[in-house]
Amino acid sequence: MSQLVTGEAVVLQVRIARMPTRALACAIDFVIQMIVLGTLLGFLLGFLIVEASPALGAALAIITVLLVLVGYKVVMETLTRGKTLGKMILGLKVVRDDGSSIRFRHALVRGLLWLFVDFAPWFAASPGIVASLMNKQGKRIGDMVAGTVVIRERHQPMASPPLFVPGHLVIWAQSLELSRLSDDLANTCREYLARYMELEVSARVAIGDALAYRVGQVTAPAPPVHIIAPAFLSAVLAERRRRELARLATTRATYSTNPYAVPAGPFAPPSPYGAQPPAYAPPPPPHRRPQAPAPETTKVNAEGWHAPGSEPDQWS
């Protein structure tokens, strides 16, 4: 097993293809190449007998050999994202150092160095073998220059094992304190559960008990009943995943309501415009003291009726 670190800083556990398996895949590809090359040279020989041009025949033969030996690998690995017929048969694949699929430039570099450096006849086909034996990931020189590695696709460990909480422990799981459970310890437990069936019985028990003890030290409360280590680890990881999915669902709901909203809190992304001034708030209206009503200016005579011209002055 080996580790590849993606561009998002995620560690992938992969099984590196070693030299014997790669040599067998290369032998299968070489047989296919020789069949194609023999067929093309047969047609070319018939053409040269008619034309009778030695220089043209030599040029066409060299071009044909290069196209078959280099073009076969380049075209196949580009179209299939890292596989040739030999690699398909043996379950191998060429990937980049970060685990992503290769492209034309990676396939071209690997193909050219495979012919002219790694297994070149003038180097006795030894540089590729020596480099593969000395490199811990089994890389030949073409892989080192292209930044690629050959892995085994088959029998890879599960990326995410099935996690569950026993029915009688649901309430206990929901009350767990998981703030001290680190990502490294959680990933180690997840890898143990993914490879549980591949381990020996004694290793299952020993590793499971050790991980359960470490997880029990950073979580609380303890299970109300005794459960085996794999069930305990599975319940803790399942509850941790449930809370993470709930948090993501809440965040997604916020963004679906307002796609331009910026999450608040200590983990909010920094503003691309630097420190922002506080939002503008209009000033409150000035406080006015209530005024007494204007006195009545209507003049009333002794008999109680309005005297002409004594109405309130509405224009003052």
Side-chain angles (χ1 to χ4, degrees):
M1 298 294 294
S2 181
Q3 293 182 346
L4 299 181
V5 181
T6 66
E8 293 78 18
V10 178
V11 180
L12 301 178
Q13 296 290 338
V14 297
R15 195 185 302 272
I16 299 296
R18 294 305 175 185
M19 191 185 69
T21 308
R22 295 183 61 178
L24 182 56
C26 184
I28 296 174
D29 290 329
F30 186 74
V31 171
I32 296 174
Q33 287 175 306
M34 290 300 102
I35 294 175
V36 175
L37 184 60
T39 304
L40 292 179
L41 289 179
F43 286 109
L44 183 62
L45 182 61
F47 172 76
L48 293 177
I49 292 176
V50 177
E51 294 293 332
S53 175
L56 178 61
L60 291 178
I62 294 175
I63 294 175
T64 303
V65 171
L66 290 177
L67 287 178
V68 172
L69 295 181
V70 178
Y72 165 80
K73 290 181 174 293
V74 174
V75 172
M76 287 294 299
E77 291 182 355
T78 302
L79 295 179
T80 61
R81 289 292 186 264
K83 299 179 183 178
T84 58
L85 294 178
K87 292 183 177 65
M88 290 180 185
I89 295 174
L90 298 180
L92 306 182
K93 183 180 180 180
V94 182
V95 297
R96 287 191 276 182
D97 287 336
D98 60 357
S100 57
S101 299
I102 66 172
R103 299 185 180 275
F104 171 76
R105 63 179 182 274
H106 306 97
L108 181 61
V109 171
R110 295 185 77 255
L112 291 176
L113 292 181
W114 179 87
L115 179 61
F116 295 106
V117 178
D118 285 318
F119 300 101
W122 44 83
F123 291 140
S126 59
I129 298 176
V130 174
S132 180
L133 291 175
M134 295 182 62
N135 189 272
K136 64 179 181 179
Q137 292 184 330
K139 291 186 175 186
R140 58 180 177 86
I141 298 177
D143 290 317
M144 298 178 187
V145 176
T148 58
V149 62
V150 182
I151 64 173
R152 296 178 61 92
E153 273 197 317
R154 299 175 186 171
H155 309 296
Q156 290 290 335
M158 296 176 59
S160 180
L163 305 174
F164 66 95
V165 179
H168 63 286
L169 296 178
V170 172
I171 298 178
W172 163 76
Q174 293 177 350
S175 65
L176 279 173
E177 170 58 39
L178 303 176
S179 60
R180 294 195 299 159
L181 181 60
S182 63
D183 292 338
D184 292 338
L185 181 55
N187 291 334
T188 303
C189 297
R190 186 176 292 108
E191 183 180 351
Y192 161 73
L193 294 176
R195 300 181 55 196
Y196 182 78
M197 299 304 298
E198 302 177 7
L199 301 175
E200 298 291 339
V201 177
S202 58
R204 294 179 190 175
V205 177
I207 298 176
D209 291 343
L211 291 177
Y213 175 78
R214 292 177 57 188
V215 173
Q217 295 296 311
V218 296
T219 59
V225 295
H226 175 73
I227 56 176
I228 61 176
F232 171 70
L233 297 176
S234 177
V236 172
L237 294 180
E239 176 61 22
R240 189 173 187 265
R241 176 178 293 179
R242 185 192 67 81
R243 296 182 186 181
E244 183 67 17
L245 292 177
R247 185 186 66 82
L248 293 176
T250 303
T251 305
R252 183 177 300 176
T254 302
Y255 276 93
S256 62
T257 304
N258 183 9
Y260 301 102
V262 177
F267 302 102
S271 172
Y273 306 106
Q276 296 295 303
Y280 172 77
H287 180 70
R288 297 180 180 180
R289 290 182 295 179
Q291 299 179 356
E296 180 67 37
T297 58
T298 303
K299 298 178 181 179
V300 182
N301 59 8
E303 288 78 9
W305 46 268
H306 290 274
S310 63
E311 288 79 6
D313 187 4
Q314 300 179 356
W315 303 97
S316 59

